Amino acid sequence: MAVNLRFVSLTVTTAATEQIYRFDSPVTVVTGPIGTGKSSLLMLLKHAVGGSAMLTPAVRTHVLSVQAEVIAGEQHIVLRRNITGDTVGTVDLLDPHSLALERSLPVRATEGEATVSDYLLDAIGFPREQVATRRDGAARPQNLTFNDLYVYIYLQAREIDRQVVGHLDSWFEVKRKELFRLMFTLTDSALMELKRTASDLTDDLKAKVAEHKNVEQFLAASDPRSDDELRAELGQLRDTLERAQSALESLRSEVEEQTAADAALRNELARAILTAQRADEEVSAARELLGSRDAVVAQVQLDMARLERSATAIDQLSPFDFVVCPRCMQSLNTRPVDDGHCVVCLQPDPSAEDVDPAAVEEARAMLEQQLIDAQRVRQSDEAHLNFAQERAQHANFVVTTLRRQLDAQTRDAVAPRFDAIADTSTRVASLKASIDSVTQLRDSWARVRTIDQSITRIKTKRRTVNKEVKDRSQLLAARQTLVANLSTEFGNLIRSWDLPWVTTAVIDRDAYLPVVNDLPFEELQASGGGIATSVNVAYSLSLLAFGLDHSDVLAPSLLIIDSPRKAFGNNEADRQRAGQIYARFRTMADAYGDRLQLIIADNDPPPTTNDVFGKIEFDYASPMVPGVSHPGPEHQGRIEDEAEG
């Protein structure tokens, strides 16, 4: 059955006062001249239930908050929302009896927190679902909200002759269709989940195909060889590497064997080197000792020479009495000299024993003996040095001989193998680098194969999911008869209004939109805005009535229409068609009573009267916003011109 939704009242609060507008009748018609607030009243209804409404400057300037009393399903709900400020993003849920605040619900989705949309959808019993929409070529699952459903409820003046349920808004297209399917049970949670899965798989497939392309482009740019060619080359490289490593091990073994054979010679050489080092050390020590002996001999010889000079000087100079300085030839006669001192150097005269010839001779004899002894020791040390040098020369000769033998063996046996080892090691390293390079390329090819497998799995899974979507859709296909029946009722209603140029009118079974004369709705503009408005109103009225007549259709029981006579002329035929539309309002009100609610905004009073029509009337003296003086007819349209068209 139609989801039960109706407005009981709307309270508009300003700083000075408040005004309550009630909607007690099945049909409420809001009338008044342009600019008195008819469209604003309808927008405030939408604002109160958490919708995104176009609010005029007069409303934003003077209205503080609105409070809507709503029947949603079986619940009596009171909602309050501010017009501006920090709290405009929340809707207050009030106790319907005391009007005390129960809680505040966010308008926009918040992690882990129910929104006013969630609350209202649950209240009217409409399923809360996610749809698999796409944006920028990628899946973007979106929640179906009460605000989305409200597009089916509210025909705005600026859209009524331009589009049906926002069908020209590409971002809303998927949501519009899914909402229709949910209303007619042409889809369900399982089918929508399958569609979301299919959409996700499409994204996964797209990403894997792009990755596959990128890797293939990289391989084509880096190396032209195929995976089969690389596999064959890798096998050859590994075989060559195995042979090279075997040759390297063989060379190393031969070197080790030769090294073992040379061990005795190396040990002998080490001993010879040690002996030569000790012999060289002995030579150095002998040289140092001989040097010290030479110093002693030289000192004794120096002492003997000094003694000889002293004795000669005494013998030659003592008889003379110097009167002039023997150096500068200056006179010494005038020079004061103490007794017992030399007139030349002024030192005390030597004692008699110091110049005793016998003492001098004795000293000479002692020095000569010391010289003989020192020379004898030096000769012994020199002989030792010569012997040490001979031994050192022999030891160094042995070392040189052994080194030559070892070098000869190394040159003839080991060195060639070392060169071969170096060459083979370089070859092994080069082969390993080549293997690493080919392995990396093969890893990229392996990645290609893995991606191919992933693509195959995704395609297989997507085929399975698409088949499940098709099977599930076929299970629900019987519900398409409801769409056909709705199309019939829509066509009957259009024909009953006798619109000019209209010969056929149906509802497309796939797009769920009106098609007139086999043309989509947007092409009706060429036939006149009044015809487009009539078709749009007929579509919404047919959907409303169909939901009320069928218990298994979840169409809302509320319909709000702004300017149902938009673009109508004032000739007799246009007035007659306007009367037919209002007659349809009256007929539905008589048939369904309180089961439905129609809220109509129109400039002029209804062309037909009935007790089921409630009225809300505005004029320039009493506009919708209470307490606000209107500028008057000379400025009409200034406030609501865009909203009311």
Side-chain angles (χ1 to χ4, degrees), residues 30-83:
V30 184
T31 62
I34 292 175
T36 54
K38 304 181 300 298
S39 294
S40 291
L41 179 66
L42 304 187
M43 284 290 180
L44 287 174
L45 291 172
K46 182 180 180 182
H47 181 77
V49 295
S52 300
M54 295 177 58
L55 303 180
T56 64
V59 170
R60 292 187 178 277
T61 301
H62 299 287
V63 179
L64 300 179
S65 65
V66 288
Q67 178 177 299
E69 186 178 355
V70 182
I71 301 299
E74 301 298 325
Q75 298 187 44
H76 188 185
I77 299 171
V78 178
L79 301 170
R80 181 179 64 202
R81 187 180 181 189
N82 292 333
I83 299 300

Side-chain angles (χ1 to χ4, degrees), residues 186-197:
L186 299 174
T187 188
D188 55 16
S189 297
L191 180 56
M192 296 182 76
E193 176 63 27
L194 287 170
K195 288 181 177 180
R196 289 195 296 272
T197 301

Side-chain angles (χ1 to χ4, degrees), residues 173-294:
E173 180 69 3
V174 175
K175 284 188 171 185
R176 179 188 66 78
K177 290 182 178 180
E178 291 297 347
L179 284 166
F180 189 96
R181 294 184 184 110
L182 284 169
M183 283 190 277
F184 282 78
T185 322
L186 299 174
T187 188
D188 55 16
S189 297
L191 180 56
M192 296 182 76
E193 176 63 27
L194 287 170
K195 288 181 177 180
R196 289 195 296 272
T197 301
S199 181
D200 291 340
L201 289 171
T202 297
D203 281 351
D204 293 343
L205 180 60
K206 182 178 179 181
K208 288 298 181 183
V209 169
E211 184 182 4
H212 187 279
K213 181 179 178 181
N214 290 336
V215 176
E216 279 194 330
Q217 287 177 344
F218 163 76
L219 287 169
S222 59
D223 197 296
R225 291 170 292 181
S226 67
D227 188 34
D228 291 338
E229 291 172 333
L230 290 171
R231 180 171 59 252
E233 182 174 343
L234 183 61
Q236 294 174 357
L237 287 171
R238 285 174 173 166
D239 290 343
T240 304
L241 175 62
E242 184 178 356
R243 291 193 298 272
Q245 287 177 329
S246 177
L248 181 60
E249 290 299 322
S250 176
L251 287 169
R252 285 173 175 168
S253 298
E254 291 176 4
V255 169
E256 289 177 358
E257 292 174 359
Q258 185 63 42
T259 300
D262 295 340
L265 185 57
R266 292 181 184 276
N267 290 336
E268 185 178 355
L269 175 59
R271 290 193 297 270
I273 290 172
L274 180 59
T275 300
Q277 288 175 344
R278 290 174 178 174
D280 289 339
E281 290 172 357
E282 186 177 358
V283 169
S284 296
R287 283 201 180 99
E288 290 178 3
L289 182 59
L290 184 60
S292 64
R293 300 301 185 196
D294 287 340

Side-chain angles (χ1 to χ4, degrees), residues 71 85 154 169 192 235 301 306 363 375 401 515 635:
I71 301 299
Y154 182 19
D169 297 329
M192 296 182 76
Q301 289 175 339
R306 187 172 54 252
Q375 289 176 337
T401 302
V515 176
H635 299 291

